[in-house]
Structures are given as C-alpha cells and as structure tokens.
Amino acid sequence: MAKIFCVANQKGGVGKTTTTVNLAAGLSIVGQRVLLVDSDPQGNATMGSGVDKRELQYTLYDVLLESATVAEARVRAERCGYDVLGANRELAGAEVELVDLER
C-alpha cells in the first residue's frame, strides 16, 4: 500500500529539504519505491538528489499546467536510487497561471 509523506513548514531554514532528501534516500535503501516531489521553485531537493534542474525537460510546473504527466516528468536520481519530480524557477509563476483555470 502506498504511503504519502509531506514535509512542510512556513519558516525557512528548518531542514525541510534535508529531511526530505534523506528520508527518500533511506526509504530507497531499504527497498521502497520513492517519488520525491520538489514543490520549491529553488529546486534544492532536485539538485540535492543529483538531478540538474536546468536540464529537466519537464517539471512539476508542467504537470500542474497539464502539459506533461507525472510519468513523463519524473526522472531517476541514479546515485540516490529514487525518482524525482523536479522543480525549477518556472514553478514560481504557476500560481499566477493557475488562477484562471478551472479545477
């Protein structure tokens, strides 16, 4: 059965990214399938997973705007052993673009 973990806090600098990347790596090491979803436009969890956010064809931004599926946008973090749905600075504009969309 799938489990979803969310690491969130409004305050910056409290270890959200570090916790998330290490939790993903730890779960991967014990044989769990992991998809890390980076929802921060800075993309530090993406980069921390060994994925270059500047070279992503699709990101969470594309998935939110329905121009790509999760399956198309996820990439393998080979050195970490899990999948990443990455983020980059385009994600910062998603909120503005989503305002006029239904659903």
Side-chain angles (χ1 to χ4, degrees), residues 71-85:
E72 292 171 327
R74 72 173 171 80
V75 294
R76 187 77 176 163
E78 291 298 335
R79 95 174 177 212
C80 299
Y82 55 82
D83 292 334
V84 175
L85 180 52

Side-chain angles (χ1 to χ4, degrees), residues 7-8 29 34-35 42-43 46-47 51 61 67 74 78 89 91-92 99 102-103:
V7 180
I29 286 171
V34 176
L35 174 64
Q42 291 181 9
T46 302
M47 296 289 281
V51 175
Y61 170 84
S67 57
R74 72 173 171 80
E78 291 298 335
R89 63 181 166 196
L91 187 57
V99 168
E102 291 185 29
R103 298 182 285 122

